Amino acid sequence: VSLETALAGALEGGPVLTDPALTASYETDWTGAFSGRARCVVSPATADAVGRVLRVCASYGVGVVVQGGNTGLVGGSVPGGGEVVLSTRKLCGLGPVDPVARQVTAGAGVPLAQVQRAARGAGLSYGIDFAARDSATIGGTVATNAGGVRVLAHGTTRAQVLGVEAVLADGSVLRRLGGLAKDATGYDLAALLTGSEGTLAVLTAVRLRLLPPDPPLQTALVGLAGLAEGLVVLSRVPDLHAAEVMDRAGVSLVCAVAGLAEPLPAVHPAYLLIEAPDLAALADLAGPGELDAVVAADGADRARLWAYRERHSEAIATRGVPVKLDVALPLAALPAFAAELPGVLAAGTRRVVFGHLGDGNLHVNLLGAAPSDADAVLRLVAACGGSIGAEHGVGRAKVSWLHLSRSPAEIAAMRAVKAALDPGGLLNPGVLLPT
Amino acid sequence: VSLETALAGALEGGPVLTDPALTASYETDWTGAFSGRARCVVSPATADAVGRVLRVCASYGVGVVVQGGNTGLVGGSVPGGGEVVLSTRKLCGLGPVDPVARQVTAGAGVPLAQVQRAARGAGLSYGIDFAARDSATIGGTVATNAGGVRVLAHGTTRAQVLGVEAVLADGSVLRRLGGLAKDATGYDLAALLTGSEGTLAVLTAVRLRLLPPDPPLQTALVGLAGLAEGLVVLSRVPDLHAAEVMDRAGVSLVCAVAGLAEPLPAVHPAYLLIEAPDLAALADLAGPGELDAVVAADGADRARLWAYRERHSEAIATRGVPVKLDVALPLAALPAFAAELPGVLAAGTRRVVFGHLGDGNLHVNLLGAAPSDADAVLRLVAACGGSIGAEHGVGRAKVSWLHLSRSPAEIAAMRAVKAALDPGGLLNPGVLLPT
């Protein structure tokens, strides 16, 4: 029988999409930068069905690409060409919130925003948030160890994951959703799978830690002479919950595209959006007039200030398909990196840099980039002791630069783990590890 | 040449201990429950020297047992018989505290208390603390994903580890000590090694997260009718930093052995030691006279209350070598477990139960235990949805019960990872995974 017929059997009659009109939306990522043909698209609804799908694909020797909300930025969830796309959209069960243990179990295909709403409904909060919250799935956030705007206070996705249900390439199901706060009975397979970008197993559900709601936060937008001044703010304002940095190019672009007014009376080389329970220390940082800053007066004002940050991606997209680089640097190396960045880019390249200053995480967006630009930026990152991938992952986009951030010994160890759990190289071939 | 001569070469002349008078202290754990002969004892001082030692041992086909402070409670750091003991005591470098990034790098052999002191010296705090702090090494705490009394506020050791330096069985060195808060470039090998009990690699150094000091905490000791009442306290008092539970048997024993007065006017079936920035909610919990509790008046009083908890292990040790079981339960299952525990023990067995209520982590100590008792308790734990190892690990002591907490699919996945990174089964043979 054909692969498609065998898959239909594995899905007990569920659809196997092959019509290009139906598969097209699974074959290109939302930025338009990555695309590849799918052999077909399947949407199993249970872990057992995922296991049957994987066994069929293994027996036919066809690779499998896992796709959640398809909001990734490194091409990790679209086919390289000819794989079966396994969509997690039917793995959409969301369990009840346990208010005592402060936990919830979510299917891999549940959107991030739905988990956030469920937490709020129980008087709690989920530790991860970013702009793609309505489309990005929990499974995708775990597979990429997603970060976002709350990492400074609550850690990355790895810190929220208490357990997983996942299916290995041989179809066997790992299920550990009990949510025990302590469990020292061997290797933490959940921690290993978190951030593995679908190359070790297909995540089908996760047990998540929930948090008490944040205390009331004050929000301020501060004009900066540069990143060094931002680091001073970081070191002086206690208990920061957010510290988002933007350069002048990005704020100008957002103002133009979104029709927003300039955020501050003066124009600055950079801007820092901060949140903390108490911003009194900000006033102590400089004498009157020395720091150009505005503190949000109310919730509407807070949303107004956040718009400068959250509308960056859409504003940039109006100017073309950018090269998106997502890098992390040691805090102390940030000013040197920013100073050297213009010098490594081709003359005509326009750059918009923003990101999460408190985590040392910058999003370097390049418009009209020369072919050499990405390589030059990532080599500069490595020379500064940084990482070529901070929160978007490696995917297909960064795989040829993995060696800049990982030693041969580390890559060999990763290959050994990959071969142990997916000996046939079935899962997300071409993603993360060079083939 | 002999193994010993080859090891001396690997250590560039460093001592290879074979005299039983010198090796004896490495061959028995501090509880006296586990012991085995060492082929010899070596103490390499660098990761490269560890690599040379491992290559020698591999070529002679001799297993290696890694030993830090030898304070483990599951026999994971003493030989099974005939292995080379690799002591981490010379891996004792402690780097400077980075006050901006709030991090420090510690050699595997650095005692926990030394890291705590370094953090305090920089106006910071380390997230892990437990009674064996002066002897337990950082490497041991990472290898076992140690917990302790601060997990409720700050997470287990895994949450403190930002990176590791480790040597694989083939002698290759993984080194990732940059301490980036975000780094999504592949598998988190540090998270995989944390809690792997020396079976995947020899940890030589770790990069640790430090924290701002705790806010001023109030401390109270509360008399409880049982664990269910303790859970009510847990759910009502916000921002708990500690919630240590003790049963009547343990408090009586500590009072007798340490010569302490009864902690409260009345005698209770259980006691809960709690800390939080504000204990006002405790007063609201019950009308006057309904809750028998004392709040520490000052630092000396706080130390006095903590002594009831911290002196448990030494008090129990005066009554014999206990069977120590360290289990975790879903919070909701704790009262049922406590109610059923007496019924599964042999008639003559005495029990002392204490632990970290907020984490669902109970230390079940059995004195005069029957051979069937440990099995009966661990089966009860599994029936309640709990874990047979919460913070002490599996070691040699619990390896035959691993199947109660881990499914065949999980154990198969762990074996695959072990075989990938240590194909010769060189590291800590007989520990964690059944042979």
Side-chain angles (χ1 to χ4, degrees):
Chain A
V1 299
S2 71
L3 169 70
E4 289 74 11
T5 303
L7 286 172
L11 296 165
E12 295 171 340
V16 178
L17 308 183
T18 53
D19 181 341
L22 298 175
T23 60
S25 68
Y26 296 91
E27 295 174 315
T28 300
D29 79 323
W30 76 270
T31 69
F34 301 93
S35 62
R37 285 302 311 276
R39 172 79 179 256
C40 59
V41 178
V42 295
S43 305
T46 66
D48 289 341
V50 170
R52 292 192 299 270
V53 165
L54 294 187
R55 281 192 291 268
V56 166
C57 291
S59 72
Y60 283 74
V62 175
V64 176
V65 172
V66 190
Q67 187 175 107
N70 201 15
T71 60
L73 293 167
V74 291
S77 62
V78 292
E83 299 96 332
V84 171
V85 170
L86 191 163
S87 166
T88 60
R89 67 188 179 80
K90 288 188 185 167
L91 297 162
C92 54
L94 180 61
V97 170
D98 178 337
V100 176
R102 291 182 186 148
Q103 299 175 358
V104 71
T105 295
V110 174
L112 170 59
Q114 192 180 344
V115 171
Q116 295 172 335
R117 279 193 300 271
R120 278 196 299 271
L124 297 168
S125 143
Y126 181 56
I128 298 295
D129 189 33
F130 52 83
R133 62 185 72 83
D134 292 311
S135 306
T137 60
I138 282 294
T141 64
V142 174
T144 56
N145 188 24
V149 297
R150 305 188 73 194
V151 171
L152 198 53
H154 305 301
T156 64
T157 297
R158 182 172 284 107
Q160 326 305 326
V161 175
L162 296 167
V164 299
E165 180 188 75
V167 186
L168 296 177
D170 67 2
S172 62
V173 178
L174 306 177
R175 190 174 282 121
R176 198 160 195 78
L177 298 170
L180 294 169
K182 283 181 177 169
D183 183 13
T185 53
Y187 312 151
D188 189 340
L189 298 174
L192 177 63
L193 297 185
T194 302
S196 67
E197 303 191 30
T199 62
L200 297 179
V202 178
L203 292 166
T204 50
V206 292
R207 185 74 174 172
L208 298 169
R209 172 177 81 129
L210 302 178
L211 302 166
D214 281 341
L217 298 175
Q218 294 186 293
T219 305
L221 188 72
V222 184
L224 298 176
L227 293 186
E229 196 176 12
L231 295 179
V232 173
V233 175
L234 271 190
S235 68
R236 300 284 181 79
V237 179
D239 199 14
L240 278 172
H241 282 237
E244 299 294 300
V245 69
M246 300 165 270
D247 67 5
R248 177 62 207 165
V251 170
S252 291
L253 189 60
V254 168
C255 289
V257 170
L260 301 182
E262 281 289 334
L264 293 172
V267 163
H268 299 273
Y271 298 82
L272 185 65
L273 182 68
I274 57 174
E275 293 199 325
D278 184 349
L279 290 176
L282 197 59
D284 303 337
L285 260 177
E290 287 184 48
L291 202 68
D292 189 14
V294 58
V295 177
D298 54 29
D301 210 25
R302 180 187 184 218
R304 185 182 66 83
L305 294 182
W306 269 100
Y308 292 103
R309 169 65 180 85
E310 289 221 321
R311 302 190 71 167
H312 260 68
S313 288
E314 65 174 271
I316 293 165
T318 65
R319 297 300 191 259
V321 176
V323 172
K324 286 180 172 288
L325 303 173
D326 160 53
V327 303
L329 292 145
L331 290 183
L334 277 169
F337 173 78
E340 292 183 39
L341 178 61
V344 306
L345 295 174
T349 303
R350 286 163 296 147
R351 66 183 188 280
V352 177
V353 181
F354 61 100
H356 316 287
L357 187 70
D359 314 321
N361 179 190
L362 296 180
H363 299 311
V364 179
N365 283 248
L366 305 177
L367 285 161
S372 63
D373 281 339
D375 187 64
V377 173
L378 296 179
R379 285 183 187 279
L380 176 61
V381 167
C384 291
S387 167
I388 62 141
E391 60 176 11
H392 295 169
V394 174
R396 301 182 191 283
K398 310 291 166 53
V399 69
S400 63
W401 289 291
L402 184 65
H403 66 96
L404 290 177
S405 276
R406 292 287 211 160
S407 69
E410 287 179 290
I411 292 173
M414 289 198 279
R415 281 191 192 285
V417 171
K418 165 75 172 174
L421 297 184
D422 179 18
L426 190 74
L427 297 173
N428 274 14
V431 169
L432 207 169
L433 289 166
T435 45
Chain B
V1 300
S2 72
L3 170 70
E4 289 74 10
T5 303
L7 286 172
L11 296 165
E12 295 171 339
V16 177
L17 308 183
T18 54
D19 181 342
L22 299 176
T23 60
S25 69
Y26 297 90
E27 294 173 316
T28 301
D29 80 322
W30 77 270
T31 68
F34 302 94
S35 62
R37 285 302 310 278
R39 171 80 178 254
C40 59
V41 178
V42 295
S43 305
T46 66
D48 289 342
V50 170
R52 292 192 299 271
V53 165
L54 294 188
R55 280 192 291 268
V56 167
C57 291
S59 71
Y60 283 75
V62 175
V64 176
V65 172
V66 189
Q67 187 174 107
N70 202 14
T71 60
L73 294 167
V74 291
S77 62
V78 292
E83 299 96 333
V84 171
V85 170
L86 191 163
S87 166
T88 60
R89 65 189 180 80
K90 289 187 184 167
L91 296 162
C92 55
L94 181 60
V97 170
D98 178 336
V100 176
R102 291 182 185 148
Q103 300 175 359
V104 71
T105 296
V110 173
L112 170 58
Q114 191 180 342
V115 171
Q116 295 172 334
R117 280 194 301 271
R120 279 197 297 272
L124 297 168
S125 144
Y126 181 56
I128 298 295
D129 189 33
F130 52 84
R133 61 186 72 86
D134 292 311
S135 305
T137 60
I138 282 293
T141 64
V142 174
T144 56
N145 189 24
V149 296
R150 306 188 73 195
V151 171
L152 198 53
H154 305 302
T156 64
T157 296
R158 182 171 287 110
Q160 326 305 325
V161 175
L162 296 168
V164 300
E165 181 188 73
V167 186
L168 295 177
D170 68 2
S172 62
V173 179
L174 306 178
R175 188 174 282 121
R176 196 159 197 80
L177 298 170
L180 295 170
K182 283 183 180 169
D183 184 14
T185 53
Y187 312 151
D188 189 339
L189 298 174
L192 177 62
L193 297 185
T194 302
S196 67
E197 303 191 32
T199 63
L200 297 180
V202 179
L203 292 166
T204 51
V206 291
R207 184 76 173 171
L208 298 169
R209 173 178 81 128
L210 302 177
L211 302 166
D214 279 341
L217 297 175
Q218 294 187 294
T219 306
L221 188 71
V222 184
L224 299 176
L227 293 187
E229 195 176 13
L231 295 179
V232 173
V233 175
L234 271 189
S235 68
R236 300 284 181 81
V237 179
D239 200 14
L240 277 172
H241 281 237
E244 299 293 301
V245 71
M246 302 165 269
D247 68 5
R248 177 63 206 164
V251 170
S252 292
L253 189 60
V254 167
C255 289
V257 171
L260 302 181
E262 280 289 335
L264 293 171
V267 162
H268 299 274
Y271 298 82
L272 185 65
L273 182 69
I274 56 173
E275 294 198 325
D278 184 349
L279 290 177
L282 196 59
D284 302 337
L285 219 49
E290 287 183 48
L291 201 69
D292 189 13
V294 58
V295 177
D298 53 29
D301 210 25
R302 180 188 184 216
R304 185 181 67 81
L305 294 182
W306 270 99
Y308 292 102
R309 170 63 180 84
E310 289 222 322
R311 301 189 72 169
H312 261 68
S313 288
E314 65 174 273
I316 293 165
T318 65
R319 297 300 190 262
V321 176
V323 172
K324 285 179 172 287
L325 303 172
D326 160 52
V327 303
L329 291 145
L331 290 182
L334 277 169
F337 173 78
E340 292 183 38
L341 178 61
V344 306
L345 296 174
T349 303
R350 287 164 294 147
R351 65 183 189 280
V352 177
V353 181
F354 60 101
H356 316 288
L357 187 69
D359 315 322
N361 179 191
L362 296 180
H363 299 311
V364 179
N365 282 246
L366 304 177
L367 286 160
S372 63
D373 282 339
D375 187 63
V377 173
L378 296 180
R379 285 182 186 279
L380 176 60
V381 167
C384 292
S387 168
I388 62 141
E391 59 175 12
H392 295 169
V394 174
R396 300 182 192 286
K398 310 288 167 53
V399 70
S400 64
W401 289 292
L402 183 65
H403 66 96
L404 289 177
S405 276
R406 293 287 212 159
S407 69
E410 288 180 289
I411 292 174
M414 289 198 279
R415 282 193 192 284
V417 171
K418 166 76 173 174
L421 297 183
D422 179 19
L426 190 76
L427 298 173
N428 275 13
V431 169
L432 207 169
L433 289 166
T435 45

